[in-house]
């Protein structure tokens, strides 16, 4: 369906104008490093909630996981449960308040800086920064791909043009305005996302004859499950896969646990807790963040499977087949095929908002990490704004290059890869830093390194989706996965996170705890 060019241009110009205005306001309010790095520690709780939610929910959730749910069914709704229970309630109440308190007490400006100061360990700061710089460009590239693919599909412009223009627009206000500009624009983009996803859910059910008729029609498609998916345990789009089948293990360990737990150790999210002035602001933010995440993920994982009903009724084919076999194209293709022109424009803005909000946060995180945490020229913990801005530009270029190198069907998987590695490496040490009176430096070092190593070994030699692509296992042992099924579909987080936690507890049990103050402000 063609989009009315004049209407699209007018709405898009208004949107970009408001984004630029908010970026300019952020730029004018950015007077020093505290403003650029942690938004001056005075952000409104509603802005915090919308910024957190918009950063968390990206094109990965809407396009990537929406497409996966179109392929595998509504079982992914369990991820919504974890996103709210863990990603909002646990993250804000148990992690957020302590992160805010320690961030203020230590004067920490970034996530690696916070860990380094809590443990009074330059090594922990540096290794955390290295993990971020190595892994985050993969996730960032996936977000770039999601936004660019929708622009390509909607406006019929070359993918390369869409990708480069998309990255350039976001780079503009991130480099100039810092975290204040990022969070202000996030709040706007979060509001647009909420409206777009709400209308998408309503229109989908209206087109399919109502909730009851749509869900009944989806259930009746069970006999059409592709033979390969049925053999792997899929029972239909309205039911869970067979317990412990390959698809069940993939859905639960990779999608649900990988993202639902991985959110607790996301550097770009954790730093947001250091942008508010008190615990009351965090409590108020929960009341906005919970419903927001419910709508964003719940709608994507509901509409995704229902696209099969629409495509069957209007073309006699399943959604993934209609999208040319690329799960990342299902949601964009459905929107352009089923929705009226005006909503295509609104949803494109919602999708761009989702991508831009997450991209801006990732660009900012990578820029501060390479320009501050890993910058050997930083003296006495005093950041250089110029170095951070240059670092941000460098990582934007790197992420764009990575986006060109990644294969199709990668958006959801890249998200899981990044979040799983962060969870395995950081969660035990992060929790220990937040709640121990004298956190053990050695325990944290061992936990972070063994967690990251366990994650890499399982990824390179066992988890077939990645090990087959990397080729290390095949080169050394002649097989893509060194362990038989079902281990080949068990996500690395299921192994690496317990390894990380156990090693931390073992070290704590056998060492004489060295005194460490959580208020030490040395880098």
């Amino acid at each position: 369906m063609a989009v009315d060019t004049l209407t699209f241009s007018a709405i898009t110009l208004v949107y970009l104008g408001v984004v630029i205005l908010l970026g300019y306001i952020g730029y004018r309010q950015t007077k020093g490093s505290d403003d650029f790095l942690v938004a001056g520690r005075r952000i409104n709780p509603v802005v915090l909630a919308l910024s957190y939610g918009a950063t968390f929910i990206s094109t990965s959730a809407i396009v990537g996981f929406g497409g996966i749910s179109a392929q595998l069914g509504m079982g992914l709704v369990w991820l919504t449960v974890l996103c709210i229970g863990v990603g909002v309630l646990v993250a804000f109440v148990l992690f957020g308040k302590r992160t805010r308190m320690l961030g203020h007490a230590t004067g920490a400006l970034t996530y690696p800086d916070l860990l380094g100061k809590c443990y009074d360990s330059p090594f922990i700061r540096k290794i955390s920064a290295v993990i971020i710089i190595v892994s985050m460009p993969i996730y960032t590239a996936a977000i770039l791909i999601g936004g660019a693919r929708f622009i390509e599909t909607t406006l019929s412009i070359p993918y390369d043009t869409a990708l480069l223009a998309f990255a350039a627009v976001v780079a503009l206000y991130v480099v100039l305005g810092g975290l204040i500009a990022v969070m202000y624009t996030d709040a706007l983009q979060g509001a647009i996302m909420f409206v777009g996803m709400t209308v998408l859910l309503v229109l989908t059910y209206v087109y399919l004859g109502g909730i009851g008729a749509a869900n009944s029609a989806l259930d009746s498609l069970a006999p059409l499950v592709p033979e390969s998916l049925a053999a792997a345990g899929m029972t239909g789009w309205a039911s869970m896969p067979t317990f412990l089948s390959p698809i069940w293990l993939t859905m639960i360990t990779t999608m649900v646990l990988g993202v639902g737990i991985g959110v607790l150790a996301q550097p770009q999210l954790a730093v947001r807790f250091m942008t508010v002035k008190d615990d009351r602001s965090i409590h108020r933010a929960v009341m906005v963040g919970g419903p927001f995440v419910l709508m964003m993920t719940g709608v994507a994982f509901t509409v995704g499977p229902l696209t099969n009903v629409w495509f069957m009724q209007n073309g006699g084919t399943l959604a993934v087949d209609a999208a040319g076999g690329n799960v990342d194209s299902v949601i964009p293709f459905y929107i352009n095929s089923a929705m009226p022109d005006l909503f295509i424009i609104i949803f494109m803005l919602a999708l761009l908002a989702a991508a831009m909000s997450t991209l801006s946060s990732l660009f900012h995180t990578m820029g501060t990490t390479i320009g501050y945490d890993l910058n050997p020229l930083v003296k006495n913990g005093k950041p250089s704004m110029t170095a951070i801005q240059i670092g941000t530009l460098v990582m934007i270029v790197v992420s764009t290059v990575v986006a060109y190198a990644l294969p199709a069907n990668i958006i959801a998987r890249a998200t899981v890869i990044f979040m799983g590695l962060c969870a395995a490496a950081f969660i035990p040490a992060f929790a220990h830093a937040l709640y121990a009176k004298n956190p053990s430096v050695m325990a944290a070092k061992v936990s972070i390194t063994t967690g990251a190593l366990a994650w890499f070994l399982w990824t390179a030699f066992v988890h077939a989706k990645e090990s087959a692509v990397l080729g290390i296992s095949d080169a050394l042992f002649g097989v893509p996965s060194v362990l038989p099924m079902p281990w080949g579909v068990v996500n690395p987080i299921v192994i690496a996170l317990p390894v990380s936690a156990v090693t931390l507890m073992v070290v704590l049990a056998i060492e004489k705890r060295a005194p460490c103050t959580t208020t030490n402000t040395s880098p």
Side-chain angles (χ1 to χ4, degrees):
M1 179 179 293
V3 177
D4 183 272
T5 304
L6 181 61
T7 304
F8 165 74
S9 299
I11 294 177
T12 302
L13 285 175
V14 171
Y15 166 70
L16 291 177
V18 176
V19 168
I20 292 171
L21 175 62
L22 291 173
Y24 178 72
I25 292 173
Y27 166 73
R28 290 295 302 270
Q29 293 182 2
T30 300
K31 306 298 183 183
S33 58
D34 265 26
D35 293 330
F36 194 91
L37 295 171
V38 288
R41 306 186 196 273
R42 60 180 183 272
I43 284 294
N44 181 278
V46 175
V47 174
L48 166 64
L50 290 176
S51 177
Y52 181 96
T55 299
F56 179 20
I57 308 301
S58 64
T59 47
S60 173
I62 299 172
V63 174
F65 284 88
I68 291 292
S69 67
Q71 182 182 46
L72 301 182
M74 284 190 176
L76 275 180
V77 169
W78 283 107
L79 177 53
T80 298
V81 175
L82 259 72
C83 284
I84 296 173
V86 177
V88 176
L89 296 180
V90 173
F92 275 69
V93 177
L94 297 183
F95 279 59
K97 292 195 296 183
R98 296 289 297 179
T99 300
R100 186 206 66 79
M101 184 190 75
L102 289 174
H104 283 239
T106 62
L109 297 175
T110 66
Y111 184 76
D113 192 29
L114 176 65
L115 288 178
K117 286 177 175 175
C118 284
Y119 287 105
D120 194 18
S121 170
F123 172 82
I124 289 178
R125 181 184 179 190
K126 298 301 182 185
I127 191 65
S128 301
V130 168
I131 290 172
I132 291 170
I133 289 300
V134 169
S135 61
M136 191 173 280
I138 300 173
Y139 180 38
T140 307
I143 307 304
L144 274 170
I145 291 171
R149 285 297 181 198
F150 194 82
I151 296 172
E152 175 194 32
T153 304
T154 304
L155 301 182
S156 299
I157 64 176
Y159 172 73
D160 291 351
T161 303
L163 185 68
L164 294 174
F166 190 31
V169 170
V170 179
L172 178 65
Y173 65 83
V174 175
V175 172
L176 294 179
L179 193 55
I180 295 178
V182 168
M183 294 188 74
Y184 282 176
T185 54
D186 280 356
L188 167 69
Q189 290 154 352
I192 295 173
M193 290 161 60
F194 190 89
V195 172
M197 295 299 280
T198 301
V199 176
L200 174 62
L201 181 66
V202 171
L203 287 181
T204 296
Y205 273 120
V206 168
Y207 289 163
L208 298 181
I211 296 175
N215 292 344
S216 177
L218 182 65
D219 190 46
S220 70
L221 294 182
L224 299 180
V225 170
E227 184 177 338
S228 60
L229 295 179
M234 185 171 174
T235 59
W237 287 273
S239 58
M240 285 293 292
T242 303
F243 183 62
L244 293 182
S245 66
I247 288 184
W248 187 93
L249 288 169
T250 297
M251 182 179 291
I252 298 301
T253 68
T254 296
M255 307 299 175
V256 176
L257 295 180
V259 175
I261 295 177
V263 65
L264 290 178
Q266 295 295 287
Q268 73 278 11
L269 297 180
V271 75
R272 272 155 174 69
F273 297 127
M274 297 192 287
T275 65
V276 292
K277 63 181 181 180
D278 53 30
D279 288 349
R280 183 183 177 187
S281 298
I282 291 180
H283 292 153
R284 291 171 61 190
V286 171
M287 304 305 295
V288 177
F292 181 86
V293 171
L294 172 63
M295 282 302 298
M296 294 303 102
T297 59
V299 170
F301 304 154
T302 299
V303 170
L306 290 173
T307 59
N308 289 287
V309 177
W310 191 89
F311 281 114
M312 284 300 299
Q313 292 178 352
N314 291 274
T317 185
L318 296 173
V320 175
D321 294 332
N326 187 349
V327 296
D328 292 344
S329 297
V330 170
I331 296 298
F333 189 63
Y334 168 67
I335 298 299
N336 282 280
S337 300
M339 298 294 160
D341 283 1
L342 180 60
F343 180 74
I344 293 175
I345 296 172
I346 294 172
F347 190 80
M348 190 189 75
L349 292 181
L351 191 61
L352 288 179
M356 290 174 71
S357 59
T358 303
L359 272 182
S360 61
S361 300
L362 297 175
F363 286 161
H364 180 268
T365 300
M366 291 187 294
T368 57
T369 299
I370 196 171
Y372 177 53
D373 295 303
L374 292 176
N375 186 355
L377 301 180
V378 170
K379 303 298 182 183
N380 301 318
K382 296 185 180 298
S384 164
M385 294 282 290
T386 302
I388 293 171
Q389 289 172 323
I390 293 173
T392 302
L393 288 173
V394 168
M395 295 313 299
I396 290 171
V397 172
V398 170
S399 299
T400 305
V401 172
V402 173
Y404 278 108
L406 290 179
N409 300 315
I410 193 61
I411 295 176
R413 186 156 299 280
T415 303
V416 171
I417 288 173
F418 173 66
M419 291 192 175
L421 174 56
C422 286
F426 296 140
I427 286 180
F430 187 30
H432 183 51
L434 295 181
Y435 281 96
K437 291 183 179 179
N438 296 299
S440 165
V441 178
M442 182 56 66
K445 288 180 179 179
V446 174
S447 176
I448 292 172
T449 52
T450 56
L453 180 61
W455 181 91
F456 173 76
L457 291 176
W458 196 267
T459 298
F461 294 100
V462 181
H463 198 229
K465 284 288 187 179
E466 285 83 38
S467 62
V469 174
L470 291 174
I472 300 174
S473 177
D474 192 49
L476 295 177
F477 304 109
V479 291
S481 175
V482 297
L483 294 180
M485 295 295 286
W487 297 108
V489 295
V490 173
N491 192 265
I493 192 175
V494 177
I495 306 300
L497 180 55
V499 167
S500 180
V502 168
T503 53
L504 184 140
M505 291 185 288
V506 168
V507 174
L508 288 177
I510 64 176
E511 76 169 357
K512 292 182 179 179
R513 300 277 295 281
C516 174
T517 175
T518 58
T519 58
N520 191 318
T521 57
S522 64

